[in-house]
Amino acid sequence: FKKVPIVMGILNITPDSFSDGGRFNKDNLALYQLKYLFKSGADFVDIGGESTRPGSKPISSKAEWNRIKNILKKEGKKNFISLDTRKSEIMEKGIKLGVRLINDVSGLSFDKDTIFILKKYKIPFVLQHSLRNPDTMQINPKYKNVLLDIYDFFETSISERFDNKKIVLDPGI
């Protein structure tokens, strides 16, 4: 990207999205919304098939993939798509369909194979700070010093595992 600011659109293809209440949970509605987001000025769109809102429950890889696969097949190589997933299997399938950025809200801790996929494809990714999974992430989180604890999380996560400099840091909620 050469311009600043960069605008990210969000397309949650889930029945319980925190941002749109599940309004785009059908292929035709999701495709329409994706095109609308780009037409309205989004530089890229982050697509997710599993809700990661606080309190949400995990779903299977198969269910997640079934929600997003048709959109990625139609639009993955045409536009800059970011994929919001915690599962390495979904990441790899998405990358093969043209996804250009991975957004893992688990801080790369949900699936042990995620690091292998990110290194294998040398794809840029978002590293989000998170203490726990979405279903428990907001239950009494504890920090000694929130800023230093988050800084330490990022320092450890990057320095011990990656030489990739295409990492976006997300302090989370």
Side-chain angles (χ1 to χ4, degrees), residues 73-90:
K73 285 177 182 177
K74 289 181 183 175
E75 297 293 324
K77 293 185 179 172
K78 293 180 187 175
N79 294 298
F80 190 117
I81 302 291
S82 166
L83 181 56
D84 180 348
T85 185
R86 304 178 296 162
K87 300 175 181 110
S88 62
E89 174 186 353
I90 304 296

Side-chain angles (χ1 to χ4, degrees), residues 1-7 41-43:
F1 296 112
K2 297 192 188 269
K3 70 174 196 162
V4 175
I6 297 168
V7 177
D43 296 295

Side-chain angles (χ1 to χ4, degrees), residues 131-132 135-143:
L131 289 178
R132 294 185 290 277
D135 56 342
T136 60
M137 69 192 325
Q138 293 297 311
I139 299 173
N140 201 21
K142 298 277 188 197
Y143 295 94

Side-chain angles (χ1 to χ4, degrees), residues 4 6 8 52 56 82 85 89 106 112-113 117 147 163 166:
V4 175
I6 297 168
M8 177 179 81
T52 53
S56 64
S82 166
T85 185
E89 174 186 353
S106 79
K112 64 178 177 45
D113 293 329
I117 296 300
L147 293 177
D163 57 3
K166 297 179 182 178

Side-chain angles (χ1 to χ4, degrees), residues 115-126:
I115 295 168
F116 169 75
I117 296 300
L118 296 173
K119 286 182 176 183
K120 177 180 176 182
Y121 291 97
K122 295 180 174 51
I123 189 166
F125 64 94
V126 177

Side-chain angles (χ1 to χ4, degrees), residues 11 13 27 30-31 34 38 45-49 64-85 87 89-102:
L11 179 58
I13 308 173
D27 284 354
L31 189 58
L34 179 71
F38 280 114
V45 174
D46 190 53
I47 296 177
E64 182 178 351
W65 182 245
N66 284 338
R67 290 177 180 176
I68 62 175
K69 69 180 177 184
N70 293 331
I71 303 305
L72 294 180
K73 285 177 182 177
K74 289 181 183 175
E75 297 293 324
K77 293 185 179 172
K78 293 180 187 175
N79 294 298
F80 190 117
I81 302 291
S82 166
L83 181 56
D84 180 348
T85 185
K87 300 175 181 110
E89 174 186 353
I90 304 296
M91 290 176 190
E92 187 163 36
K93 288 178 179 181
I95 292 166
K96 289 179 179 180
L97 290 177
V99 165
R100 295 170 44 191
L101 176 73
I102 297 296

